[in-house]
Amino acid sequence: MSAAIRIQQVSKRFGNVQALDGIDLEVQRGEFFGLLGPNGAGKTTLISALAGLVRADAGSLSVMGHNVQSDYRAARRHLGVVPQELVFDPFFTVRESLKIQSGYFGIGDNESWIDEILENLGLTSKANANMRMLSGGMKRRVLVAQALVHRPPVIVLDEPTAGVDVELRQTLWHFIRRLNEAGHTIVLTTHYLEEAENLCTRIAMLKAGRVVALDTTANLLRRFSVHSLRLRTDGVMPADLTRGGAENGGWWSLPFDGFDEVEPLLARIRDAGCTINDLEIGKPDLEEVFVRVMQGHPQGQLN
Amino acid sequence: MRYGGFSTLLYKEVLRFWKVGSQTVGAPVLTALLYLLIFSHVMEGHVKVHGVIYTAFLIPGLVMMSVLQNAFANSSSSLIQSKVTGNIVFVLLPPISYLEFFAAYVLASVVRGLVVGAGVLFATFWFAPLTFAEPWWILVFALMGGAILGSLGVIAGIWADKFDQLAAFQNFLIMPLTFLSGVFYSINSLPLFWQQVSHWNPVFYMIDGFRHGFFGVSDASPWLSLAVVSSCLAVLTTFTLNLLKRGYKLRA
Ligand SMILES: Nc1ncnc2c1ncn2[C@@H]1O[C@H](COP(=O)(O)OP(=O)(O)OP(=O)(O)O)[C@@H](O)[C@H]1O
Ligand SMILES: [Mg+2]
């Protein structure tokens, strides 16, 4: 069975910017995949190449086994893209926009699915409002809705939660999760790493047009990040302990690998005559992984 | 309505101008009416062209000029707006071929041109005795002229990055071509040099052929006009399709 997305040796140059530099990536059907990277890493360019908005200089891309150039009709029918930019057509209402978008995909009678999308995105009451009258967050919802009118098996969301409120995030992720459970492949880019950590089962990190990390979220967390003991004490901490740790606003952060190390650590601190005033366990998080990978941490080269 | 990329895009493009009909249809009809009132007032009684009183001669010119200018305006302004606001992606993401894209934008331009043209005709034909001597020429030249200018509008809309570039295209190419084409006069009344210049203006043939349909007489033979206009259409269609196929400025 062909992969949901297959990207092979894709490069793209804009003037003297190498936006994509030999990207290889495969997303399997049913995955919830995260595409992360700093501003300008090439995420949007890669998505645009997949959608046919940008033509790759080299390499090939396919969606559900359909090449995006030679078999663009099938490729596009299988792909739904939520663009990063908040765009809308001011001439139409929400429902008109969705009907027109359905028509572009050759779908005539799409009312019940449109109603379902509107309902799930909390747009029902805005269905007949003109696009111009909607708030930014509402326009973002319509953008998501437009990407879904043709029930694409592969859905790509380019920073869908940039500048939207908590409510929409929760509604959106609830809906997208359900689509994922129903078998849709989801690819997500976001700068909210917590979001990616919670949602994505596998993650690729891009930097300057290259894939610098690619693994399951769990593996990335395990490999690049560690637990830490965070505490505030009275007295002077033993020097050999603090060497590997860091202090911030009176809090010490001491890394450890396994929980069996916690008790000995605490014992050492007590033996040094320190009283612990406050204590918490810091869990590995994707932000730390991200920072380490982007700093070119040696393990960042691993795939 | 049959659903598909082409028909939906055509429908959307027609709906787009129809929703703001007072600007896209009403305003050009009013403009043409003003031209008629002013020019016929100044000229009437002074000249007859091809044995036709001046106001009657002027009406088909104004109708065709409105068809052409509005056909151009439709595709060019729709495309530049979509590009500048970014909503062009809604058309680029679906499985719409460059042929469907071209056909839909051009046909919508023709529809706008014909609607405005019909409006101008309706608003002006009360002012002078008008005949419809060979009506098929009227239809043929209106359709082909609209398609040519619609096609030029696609080119301009794709080429221009900003509204002022589009305005330059309109002011320095489209307006001179349509005004210096015999809308307001027969080119036979021009000095020889300007007559010859006019013969290089394809818009002259569109208007002359169109007018032939009304009066059965014209400066040039309608068959010559047909040859010139259809060659123009063929060249522009080929050129525009090639731009679209390459994704010029639309697919980076
Ligand atoms: N159409 C274009 N013309 C010129 N340069 C471009 C174009 N599109 C992207 N770039 C450049 O390519 C690089 C990658 O941009 P891209 O938008 O893909 O980054 P991104 O990872 O999506 O960033 P962000 O997180 O800010 O959205 C940047 O240096 C950008 O300036
Ligand atoms: Mg981006």
Side-chain angles (χ1 to χ4, degrees):
Chain A
M1 204 164 63
S2 52
I5 294 174
R6 172 173 287 166
I7 297 168
Q8 288 170 307
Q9 281 301 309
V10 166
S11 295
K12 178 69 188 180
R13 201 179 178 85
F14 294 113
N16 50 16
V17 178
Q18 190 70 47
L20 300 175
D21 192 1
I23 302 269
D24 272 307
L25 208 55
E26 205 163 290
V27 178
Q28 300 310 322
R29 296 185 182 196
E31 275 197 276
F32 205 129
F33 191 90
L35 194 58
L36 307 183
N39 294 133
K43 306 178 296 291
T44 299
T45 307
L46 188 63
I47 292 169
S48 301
L50 197 66
L53 299 174
V54 152
R55 294 177 181 206
D57 299 331
S60 72
L61 304 99
S62 62
V63 179
M64 302 294 275
H66 304 284
N67 185 285
V68 303
Q69 292 289 340
S70 59
D71 192 9
Y72 71 93
R73 279 185 188 272
R76 290 185 203 166
R77 254 195 299 274
H78 288 96
L79 182 68
V81 175
V82 181
Q84 178 175 2
E85 302 293 332
L86 196 54
V87 295
F88 62 96
D89 196 326
F91 284 90
F92 303 110
T93 67
V94 173
R95 189 178 289 281
E96 279 170 343
S97 296
L98 297 178
K99 282 171 88 162
I100 289 170
Q101 207 63 27
S102 306
Y104 289 157
F105 284 91
I107 306 165
D109 181 19
N110 208 18
E111 284 305 300
S112 61
W113 176 233
I114 288 176
D115 285 336
E116 198 177 327
I117 300 175
L118 290 174
E119 177 72 37
N120 276 294
L121 288 169
L123 278 169
T124 307
S125 64
K126 303 283 180 197
N128 297 314
N130 186 285
M131 287 301 302
R132 262 173 314 183
M133 306 302 171
L134 300 187
S135 71
M138 285 294 171
K139 287 187 184 118
R140 178 74 67 186
R141 296 180 199 211
V142 178
L143 216 46
V144 175
Q146 275 177 283
L148 300 178
V149 288
H150 56 299
R151 302 177 194 250
V154 182
I155 302 164
V156 180
L157 304 108
D158 196 352
E159 293 190 40
T161 48
V164 303
D165 68 13
V166 184
E167 194 199 333
L168 168 58
R169 279 187 205 199
Q170 287 179 349
T171 336
L172 180 65
W173 293 136
H174 181 73
F175 187 31
I176 298 294
R177 264 203 166 117
R178 262 189 39 210
L179 290 170
N180 182 236
E181 280 156 18
H184 294 261
T185 308
I186 313 288
V187 175
L188 163 72
T189 86
T190 178
H191 291 291
Y192 302 106
L193 298 175
E194 219 178 0
E195 218 168 62
E197 185 179 329
N198 290 333
L199 292 162
C200 303
T201 45
R202 215 154 63 90
I203 285 173
M205 293 191 187
L206 257 60
K207 183 186 176 185
R210 291 164 184 265
V211 177
V212 289
L214 174 64
D215 210 334
T216 61
T217 312
N219 278 346
L220 282 172
L221 289 171
R222 209 173 301 131
R223 190 184 294 164
F224 289 96
S225 185
V226 284
H227 285 85
S228 63
L229 199 58
R230 293 170 33 78
L231 41 79
R232 262 181 346 144
T233 60
D234 289 337
V236 182
M237 292 275 284
D240 61 314
L241 277 189
T242 57
R243 208 174 295 125
E247 201 227 331
N248 183 8
W251 283 87
W252 281 97
S253 179
L254 310 176
F256 66 89
D257 293 324
F259 283 95
D260 50 349
E261 293 172 34
V262 173
E263 245 189 281
L265 262 175
L266 292 175
R268 291 282 316 282
I269 292 164
R270 195 179 54 234
D271 292 347
C274 295
T275 322
I276 296 174
N277 293 329
D278 220 337
L279 179 137
E280 54 187 43
I281 302 274
K283 290 202 165 183
D285 72 12
L286 202 59
E287 191 156 327
E288 196 186 331
V289 177
F290 185 83
V291 170
R292 290 235 225 159
V293 169
M294 291 308 149
Q295 282 167 348
H297 192 273
Q299 280 169 293
Q301 303 305 319
L302 292 176
N303 268 353
Chain B
M1 177 181 160
R2 226 188 98 252
Y3 282 90
F6 164 73
S7 51
T8 307
L9 189 52
L10 173 61
Y11 167 77
K12 176 226 144 192
E13 280 300 294
V14 170
L15 191 60
R16 193 196 71 95
F17 82 75
W18 194 246
K19 281 204 169 195
V20 284
S22 60
Q23 293 166 47
T24 55
V25 181
V29 170
L30 183 64
T31 307
L33 189 59
L34 292 174
Y35 275 127
L36 182 88
L37 295 176
I38 292 164
F39 278 84
S40 66
H41 178 72
V42 174
M43 307 284 282
E44 192 63 73
H46 295 286
V47 278
K48 276 200 168 189
V49 190
H50 298 304
V52 176
I53 63 163
Y54 179 73
T55 306
F57 171 85
L58 180 59
I59 288 172
L62 287 175
V63 170
M64 190 58 169
M65 183 178 82
S66 307
V67 171
L68 300 178
Q69 287 181 348
N70 284 280
F72 177 83
N74 205 63
S75 50
S76 62
S77 64
S78 173
L79 279 166
I80 188 110
Q81 276 177 21
S82 290
K83 275 173 39 178
V84 169
T85 60
N87 67 40
I88 190 85
V89 296
F90 298 144
V91 183
L92 297 178
L93 290 172
I96 298 176
S97 72
Y98 69 97
L99 275 168
E100 290 176 290
F101 184 100
F102 174 78
Y105 275 97
V106 170
L107 213 57
S109 287
V110 172
V111 172
R112 159 98 170 264
L114 293 184
V115 169
V116 174
V120 173
L121 187 63
F122 183 76
T124 55
F125 90 105
W126 318 92
F127 293 86
L130 212 55
T131 58
F132 298 87
E134 297 168 23
W136 52 92
W137 287 124
I138 297 177
L139 200 61
V140 164
F141 284 101
L143 288 174
M144 296 221 294
I148 287 174
L149 270 288
S151 211
L152 272 173
V154 171
I155 295 171
I158 290 176
W159 165 77
D161 297 317
K162 288 177 266 168
F163 286 101
D164 52 335
Q165 289 176 324
L166 181 62
F169 197 101
Q170 189 148 18
N171 293 330
F172 293 105
L173 188 72
I174 304 302
M175 291 304 264
L177 281 180
T178 49
F179 274 105
L180 303 174
S181 60
V183 170
F184 300 100
Y185 49 82
S186 159
I187 64 158
N188 284 332
S189 59
L190 291 175
L192 193 64
F193 172 76
W194 288 107
Q195 279 190 35
Q196 282 166 349
V197 170
S198 297
H199 278 116
W200 288 98
N201 179 1
V203 181
F204 157 73
Y205 296 94
M206 297 177 203
I207 291 181
D208 199 55
F210 183 72
R211 199 175 259 141
H212 185 95
F214 287 85
F215 307 119
V217 285
S218 48
D219 289 342
S221 147
W223 294 103
L224 172 65
S225 296
L226 182 65
V228 172
V229 171
S230 43
S231 313
C232 261
L233 184 57
V235 169
L236 270 177
T237 301
T238 312
F239 181 78
T240 316
L241 284 176
N242 187 42
L243 282 188
L244 292 171
K245 189 178 182 183
R246 284 191 289 130
Y248 174 74
K249 291 216 182 176
L250 289 180
R251 301 185 193 270

